Amino acid sequence: MHGEDIHLAEIERQIAATAAKLRELIEQSTSHLAAMSEELVGQRIDDQAARLEILITRREQLLRARSGEDRKGRPEQIG
């Protein structure tokens, strides 16, 4: 496995974990938990949504960089 593949796999794992946490927080906020304030739940949702956006951007950058590297060493295929 190439280093980029390992890095991409870790970002994919973090995206899945963050998305799951975000879904959990949204479910908690709709169930009106007395132990957590609405403001705190809202802040945690915002934090996780921001983290998810960062991770998705990093994944896109890695994929673009990888596709550029793939094209460098290979002749262009026609048809």
Side-chain angles (χ1 to χ4, degrees), residues 20-74:
K21 183 65 176 177
L22 187 55
R23 283 189 298 274
E24 179 184 320
L25 289 168
I26 290 169
E27 288 174 9
Q28 286 177 2
S29 71
T30 60
S31 68
H32 304 292
L33 293 175
M36 296 180 76
S37 74
E38 198 173 305
E39 183 178 328
L40 177 60
V41 172
Q43 182 59 51
R44 290 181 67 196
I45 288 171
D46 290 345
D47 291 347
Q48 289 299 307
R51 177 172 167 72
L52 185 59
E53 187 175 323
I54 290 167
L55 289 168
I56 290 170
T57 299
R58 287 166 73 190
R59 177 182 62 188
E60 290 169 354
Q61 290 170 342
L62 276 174
L63 291 172
R64 278 195 303 270
R66 179 191 297 180
S67 70
E69 289 173 6
D70 286 348
R71 282 185 258 135
K72 284 181 196 174
R74 298 182 183 171

